[in-house]
Amino acid sequence: MFGKKLTSALLATALMSPMSAFAAQETKQPADVVLTNGAVYTVDTKNSWAEAVAIRGDKIVFVGADEYAKAHIGKDTKVIDLKGQMVLPGFIDSHTHASKTTGLIYSIDLFNGGSVEEYVATIEKFVKEHPNEPALQGRGWSNPVVPGIGPRKEVLDKIVPTTPIALTSDDGHSLWVNSAALKLAGIKKDTPNPEGGIIERDPKTGEPSGTLRESAMNLVLSKIGGYTVQQYKSGIEAYQEKAIERGVTTVRDPDMLRYPNVLEAYEELAKEDKLTIRFRNALTANPEKGPEQIAEFVKIRERNQNQNPLFQVNAVKIFLDGVVEGATAYLEKPYVHKETNGELIWKPEVYNQTAAAVDKAGFQLHIHSIGDASTRIALDGMELAEKQNGKHDARHSLVHLQLVNESDIERFKKLGAVGIVQPFWFMQEEGYYDEIEVPYLGHERAEKEYPMKSFLKKGVHVASSSDYIVTPEFNPLHGIQQGITRVEEGVTDPSKIANPDERATLAEMIASFTIDGAYANHVDDITGSIEVGKKADLIVLDKNLFKIPATQIKDAKVVLTLVEGKEVYRQKEAK
């Protein structure tokens, strides 16, 4: 393990490495910033350690021992003595709804509620403070609080009988509405379920009960409208403040075109040079439009590719299925509690055609897939795209992967597909596991949820993400700890470890939030590891993660965040 000084063997390795040779050629011009006396975990191909990093402009020009860093120090160089603190590449969140921070600012926030009564109190307070709104929106209620057909319209009718109100669940796949919202959307007893969606109904009367799932949500949301460009800009800027404090320097927001004005907000911020972190975003494809929409996506990509290097659109998001808690994740075998296999949002033939068009256009597929049947269909489409277009470095990704058929993991490797997981969810969460997952899936399937180690053993690239705002606290250090322990905080019973064979190591978890995240987003040539020639996306932690118990990783603090050599965050207590 790394001590205060590099061992002679490590020094010899560092001095003989290509990055050190490159650094030696660059010593004529002093660095702008030199970090010294640190525990620098580079996450390069050898997981090398170093003591010092030198930065000139936006790039790293030296990585190695303190004594050799001196050659990069000039009279104007800023030298930062790390006093043994840990340095890592900036964290990468490969699937995060950054723009949805807007909703936390401008709508009803139910994330802290744990009962219908608490939801009601929050809604009543918001309505009292905003009496003249033409429509009300919010987010954050939880399916385990109101399982089955979900929350009822009558609860909302008592609060706002005439104003339409639409409240999205914390996972983003269900909508709680009142009678006024149902009337606005024209949803009645005889309204059929839209393709890929469910209108929950009263079991006695058949009337819409007040919960809409998946594509049925759009029946109301399309009528209520969304946020303005300026509101989204404020939300994205607020997200950036949160991100840099947590050491997040690169993200993928998959909500371009899913909601009006999101893309435009990013484009304006990029033109105004108000982005502080790197975005590699995805355009959400419409299952009703199929492959013909890809031509427009190409125009959007070309429009932005030379505007601002921090904002690029390089992926296409496809919602292939739903979620377990809504019984809409698409499963190979039916749910235990309900006679259904879930909802496949795309027709397989339309998905296949679209996947091939996305691949041919040079985009990455970024596919929401939670059920095992959905993932198999997603891989089928990738395989077809490869046959039609030829094998290339596509790096298509599947996001969530709650249930995966073991035989399909080998297909990931064969197709070069990337798994994007949310380690924050790797636990038998009290209430959710016993009240949703086991009753809906049965013990056998519930115990095999969220594989990760199985992918790593097969050599599949696995990138971690938060799926914020579904995960309200998206600190990667929390995710790293959860990926290692796979048990809810404070629980010591080993039988409560979620799928224990899937626990990852610290090194693997760090890689999933750095170099593998960079790989997943096609930016591993510029970031994801601390190497000469790469962008200076670095974070400093107050603790060396390799020297503390895994259960304390989440308590480590980010002291300093650099994006392309610029200091974007410094802990106030740090000096």
Side-chain angles (χ1 to χ4, degrees), residues 75-134:
K75 62 184 180 68
D76 296 322
T77 301
K78 181 179 181 179
V79 180
I80 301 175
D81 182 356
L82 297 173
K83 299 178 182 178
Q85 292 176 321
M86 188 178 197
V87 182
L88 285 173
F91 290 132
I92 297 171
D93 194 331
S94 296
H95 181 86
T96 182
H97 302 277
S99 52
K100 285 186 177 177
T101 307
T102 303
L104 300 182
I105 300 172
Y106 296 103
S107 67
I108 305 168
D109 181 2
L110 300 177
F111 277 99
N112 293 325
S115 68
V116 172
E117 292 73 22
E118 289 179 347
Y119 296 153
V120 167
T122 300
I123 297 165
E124 288 178 335
K125 183 175 184 294
F126 187 91
V127 170
K128 185 177 181 180
E129 294 172 352
H130 302 80
N132 300 315
E133 295 292 329

Side-chain angles (χ1 to χ4, degrees), residues 51-325:
E51 292 175 316
V53 180
I55 301 164
R56 185 184 311 124
D58 61 354
K59 292 182 179 179
I60 298 167
V61 295
F62 171 83
V63 183
D66 280 339
E67 60 181 298
Y68 297 100
K70 295 176 182 177
H72 295 269
I73 299 174
K75 62 184 180 68
D76 296 322
T77 301
K78 181 179 181 179
V79 180
I80 301 175
D81 182 356
L82 297 173
K83 299 178 182 178
Q85 292 176 321
M86 188 178 197
V87 182
L88 285 173
F91 290 132
I92 297 171
D93 194 331
S94 296
H95 181 86
T96 182
H97 302 277
S99 52
K100 285 186 177 177
T101 307
T102 303
L104 300 182
I105 300 172
Y106 296 103
S107 67
I108 305 168
D109 181 2
L110 300 177
F111 277 99
N112 293 325
S115 68
V116 172
E117 292 73 22
E118 289 179 347
Y119 296 153
V120 167
T122 300
I123 297 165
E124 288 178 335
K125 183 175 184 294
F126 187 91
V127 170
K128 185 177 181 180
E129 294 172 352
H130 302 80
N132 300 315
E133 295 292 329
L136 296 163
Q137 296 185 66
R139 183 173 177 131
W141 62 269
S142 179
N143 276 282
V145 173
V146 276
I149 65 171
R152 305 290 297 237
K153 62 186 178 184
E154 290 83 5
V155 176
L156 297 178
D157 289 346
K158 290 180 181 179
I159 306 170
V160 278
T162 58
T163 301
I165 181 170
L167 305 171
T168 309
S169 59
D170 55 6
D171 60 20
H173 290 262
S174 298
L175 193 70
W176 180 16
V177 299
N178 65 351
S179 296
L182 291 170
K183 183 178 180 181
L184 177 68
I187 300 174
K188 303 176 182 179
K189 182 178 180 178
D190 59 353
T191 302
N193 288 335
E195 187 170 342
I198 296 172
I199 300 170
E200 295 285 7
R201 303 173 194 273
D202 185 289
K204 294 182 179 179
T205 66
E207 292 287 342
S209 61
T211 297
L212 309 174
R213 305 199 189 274
E214 305 302 342
S215 65
M217 298 165 58
N218 297 330
L219 300 176
V220 168
L221 293 178
S222 62
K223 299 291 185 179
I224 286 182
Y227 302 108
T228 66
V229 171
Q230 188 57 50
Q231 286 174 324
Y232 272 120
K233 287 169 69 176
S234 297
I236 295 165
E237 289 186 286
Y239 171 82
Q240 289 186 135
E241 291 299 314
K242 295 182 179 184
I244 57 177
E245 185 178 348
R246 291 157 177 77
V248 175
T249 59
T250 299
V251 304
R252 171 167 285 165
D253 185 336
D255 286 331
M256 307 306 95
L257 301 187
R258 186 182 180 194
Y259 305 102
N261 298 326
V262 175
L263 173 62
E264 292 79 3
Y266 273 107
E267 290 180 331
E268 286 194 15
L269 289 171
K271 290 177 182 178
E272 294 164 4
D273 201 24
K274 291 182 179 179
L275 299 178
T276 55
I277 64 175
R278 184 178 297 103
F279 292 90
R280 290 297 182 268
N281 289 355
L283 298 158
T284 303
N286 187 329
E288 297 179 2
K289 294 182 178 180
E292 65 269 18
Q293 63 195 299
I294 307 306
E296 180 61 29
F297 292 178
V298 171
K299 293 179 182 177
I300 293 171
R301 180 180 61 190
E302 291 176 347
R303 179 170 83 218
N304 288 285
Q305 62 186 5
N306 296 319
Q307 291 291 332
N308 187 322
L310 289 179
F311 174 69
Q312 299 291 308
V313 176
N314 66 349
V316 173
K317 168 73 179 292
I318 288 179
F319 274 102
L320 205 52
D321 71 343
V323 292
V324 167
E325 56 267 31

Side-chain angles (χ1 to χ4, degrees), residues 198 327 331 333-343 439-440:
I198 296 172
L331 308 180
K333 296 179 181 179
Y335 286 86
V336 173
H337 74 302
K338 195 174 183 180
E339 292 184 7
T340 179
N341 288 65
E343 294 290 325
Y440 286 23

